[in-house]
Amino acid sequence: MIGSLTLIIALAPALAIVLILVARNGRAAEAINLAGSVITLVATLFLVIHLGGRKETFWGDYIIVDGLGVWAILCTAIVYFLASMYAVGYMRLIAEGERLNRFYAMFAGFALTTLVGPLMNNAGLYWIAIELTTLISTFLVAFEHEAASIEAAWKYIIVVSAGISLALLGTVLFYWSGTFVLGPTYDMTWARLQQAAPHLNPAVVSLAFLLVLIGYGTKVGLAPMHTWLPDAHSEGPAPVSALLSGALLNTAMIGIVRYLAVADASSIPALAHGTLLVLGALSLFVASLFIVRQTGLKRLMAYSSIEHMGMIALGFGFGGPLGVTGALYHMLNHSLNKSAMFFGAGSVMRAYGTKRIPGIHGISQRLPVLGALWLAGAVGITGAPPFGLFLSELTIIRAGLSREQYFVVGLVAVLLIVIFIGFLNHFRTMYFDDAQSASSEKGIVSPWCLAPVWLALLPLFLFGVWWPQAMWEHFQYIAASLSSISFVGTTP
């Protein structure tokens, strides 16, 4: 059952690519892509239910299906479905015919790479999967063929490729250090690395981990390697921005977490966790500075992604059951919330004909339904109750307190307050400043663009007031598998 569901998850978008290319019709392509996203999501939900706390490997141990990887796949599958639905209404406004057909083929391909990445049980294959996400998503970032989008695509591929090259060097160093323990050739699976970790040379492992952390941290968008993210997220079409933020960043974070487990089993856990905490706190600091002074609408959302990936890094950096649980819960909540925010941003930009915040006023009068939903999402994305991000951020802060990281927790608390004030101040401008001079003409938002915002925000509200016990137990299994310690009895 587990193997069959895993195969369906990979085959659904792959088959969608083939059918889209064969159909050569834009309207058929959007239907095929949407159907593929539905099949992927349903199969992923069944996989989460059937997997429980188990871990299985397939195809000569090249494929791993475990709680950590499946959770990242679930976040990706949700965003893929929501973005595919939104794209039906949004992409018709900017492309048609053969060009629309090419978009959906690349979009399904991008989803495929982010889905299979967490399944890679070989560190080298995982690197290849992450590199493929870069190659495919670059064309999506530049899809609108504007000067700014093409520049953003070039910046994206250059900066990220440089980071991924460092990750490759770190992977090679990990393999080389393992040859002194496991022999000149061996299967570089995550379990094999963890088993050999206590016997590896500390200096080599330290250098290898730092290279991997910087490399994959570039893909995650952690500061100071974040420079590609604001441009790529802001210049790509809104469905692509959602998939970049809600899916790709999580897929890259999985690699950091798997290498962190190897570091924990070696002699450098303090260095590994400490460095991750520094990058997480720095990401929040950089995001707070740019959020406060931002004038670009989608760039505002992009810097918010840097903030939240910093929070996830802090959760894994604090470690333990609370840290891991908070980080995993934050992954899901951020994927839902940021998707809704990019969907709303895309519709607002189309309605007002501008990407600049100062040029947008009176949203609640012009787009009443979408405006209400988008404002709720803005409150949620700042980590305010009663939305899911508040609960996950609170759990991460509790993890820091339990680890006696009082300075880091205090700094994070201050930065979160600054971000809350700065982010919502921009929405005050767009909703209330000069509202009387704003156009009273009602804007029309396609149901295809409105429905995914509802579908993202409703569970986000639910997860803010109720934490499902089954989900908590699933996170505990993952935390135990990462640290080889049982945390039975821990409660939310």
Side-chain angles (χ1 to χ4, degrees), residues 13 17 80 104-114 136:
I17 298 171
Y80 178 34
Y104 281 111
M106 291 188 293
F107 194 75
F110 183 29
L112 175 62
T113 57
T114 53
I136 297 176

Side-chain angles (χ1 to χ4, degrees), residues 205-231:
V205 172
S206 298
L207 178 59
F209 178 80
L210 292 176
L211 287 171
V212 167
L213 178 58
I214 294 172
Y216 290 129
T218 303
K219 192 77 175 183
V220 171
L222 296 177
M225 298 84 67
H226 68 285
T227 52
W228 65 271
L229 192 148
D231 295 283

Side-chain angles (χ1 to χ4, degrees), residues 93-279:
L93 302 175
I94 62 175
E96 58 183 18
E98 185 66 23
R99 192 157 177 262
L100 190 59
N101 192 72
R102 290 197 300 269
F103 169 82
Y104 281 111
M106 291 188 293
F107 194 75
F110 183 29
L112 175 62
T113 57
T114 53
L115 287 165
V116 301
L119 295 173
M120 297 296 102
N121 192 32
N122 182 287
L125 290 179
Y126 174 79
W127 181 89
I128 293 174
I130 293 298
E131 181 66 9
L132 285 174
T133 64
T134 304
L135 295 176
I136 297 176
S137 57
T138 297
F139 293 100
L140 290 169
V141 170
F143 184 78
E144 295 190 22
H145 290 177
E146 297 178 355
S149 62
I150 294 174
E151 180 184 351
W154 275 110
K155 186 175 183 179
Y156 170 50
I157 196 169
I158 291 172
V159 174
V160 171
S161 293
I164 292 298
S165 298
L166 293 178
L168 177 60
L169 179 58
T171 303
V172 171
L173 282 178
F174 264 114
Y175 185 88
W176 178 65
S177 65
T179 60
F180 296 99
V181 179
L182 302 172
T185 60
Y186 63 95
D187 293 330
M188 196 179 180
T189 63
W190 303 115
R192 185 67 64 89
L193 282 176
Q194 279 187 275
Q195 292 167 2
H199 311 289
L200 301 181
N201 183 284
V204 177
V205 172
S206 298
L207 178 59
F209 178 80
L210 292 176
L211 287 171
V212 167
L213 178 58
I214 294 172
Y216 290 129
T218 303
K219 192 77 175 183
V220 171
L222 296 177
M225 298 84 67
H226 68 285
T227 52
W228 65 271
L229 192 148
D231 295 283
H233 283 50
S234 62
E235 296 303 331
V240 176
S241 299
L243 205 56
L244 283 169
S245 184
L248 176 62
L249 303 187
N250 289 338
T251 300
M253 181 64 78
I254 292 301
I256 294 177
V257 177
R258 293 201 190 280
Y259 276 111
L260 186 64
V262 175
D264 284 342
S266 69
S267 57
I268 63 160
L271 170 68
H273 284 267
T275 308
L276 193 56
L277 287 176
V278 169
L279 292 181

Side-chain angles (χ1 to χ4, degrees), residues 353-365:
T354 180
K355 297 180 180 180
R356 291 179 51 80
I357 294 174
I360 301 172
H361 300 288
I363 293 178
S364 56
Q365 287 81 23

Side-chain angles (χ1 to χ4, degrees), residues 351 389 400 492:
L389 285 170

Side-chain angles (χ1 to χ4, degrees), residues 265-478:
S266 69
S267 57
I268 63 160
L271 170 68
H273 284 267
T275 308
L276 193 56
L277 287 176
V278 169
L279 292 181
L282 182 60
S283 298
L284 261 74
F285 177 71
V286 170
S288 67
L289 294 180
F290 282 93
I291 284 174
V292 170
R293 300 296 300 273
Q294 195 52 243
T295 58
L297 184 54
K298 287 181 71 178
R299 291 180 72 87
L300 177 66
M301 308 304 159
Y303 280 108
S304 174
S305 294
I306 296 173
E307 170 214 345
H308 288 289
M309 296 316 293
M311 283 299 302
I312 293 172
L314 287 170
F316 288 120
F318 289 137
L322 283 176
V324 173
T325 294
L328 293 171
Y329 202 39
H330 206 75
M331 277 186 177
L332 175 61
N333 291 323
H334 175 250
S335 294
L336 288 167
N337 210 153
K338 190 52 60 65
S339 296
M341 295 309 294
F342 273 118
F343 297 156
S347 298
V348 168
M349 288 190 314
R350 288 295 159 185
Y352 284 84
T354 180
K355 297 180 180 180
R356 291 179 51 80
I357 294 174
I360 301 172
H361 300 288
I363 293 178
S364 56
Q365 287 81 23
R366 190 165 183 176
L367 303 168
V369 177
L370 177 67
L373 293 174
W374 201 42
L375 183 59
V379 174
I381 204 66
T382 60
F387 298 96
L389 285 170
F390 170 75
L391 205 53
S392 53
E393 286 183 353
L394 183 62
T395 305
I396 292 172
I397 289 174
R398 287 175 57 195
L401 293 175
S402 69
R403 296 288 183 174
E404 299 183 353
Q405 297 282 352
Y406 301 123
F407 174 78
V408 177
V409 170
L411 177 62
V412 168
V414 172
L415 292 176
L416 288 177
I417 293 172
V418 172
I419 291 171
F420 173 83
I421 296 172
F423 196 92
L424 290 184
N425 183 56
H426 294 302
F427 275 75
R428 178 189 61 79
T429 300
M430 292 186 290
Y431 277 76
F432 305 112
D433 280 9
D434 298 327
Q436 297 298 324
S437 62
S439 173
S440 59
E441 179 185 355
K442 298 292 184 181
I444 299 175
V445 179
S446 168
W448 288 107
C449 295
L450 199 58
V453 181
W454 278 105
L455 292 176
L457 290 180
L458 288 177
L460 192 68
F461 173 78
L462 179 65
F463 293 149
V465 297
W466 173 61
W467 192 323
Q469 184 63 28
M471 191 181 294
W472 176 266
E473 292 174 356
H474 184 72
F475 294 156
Q476 296 297 286
Y477 285 129
I478 297 173

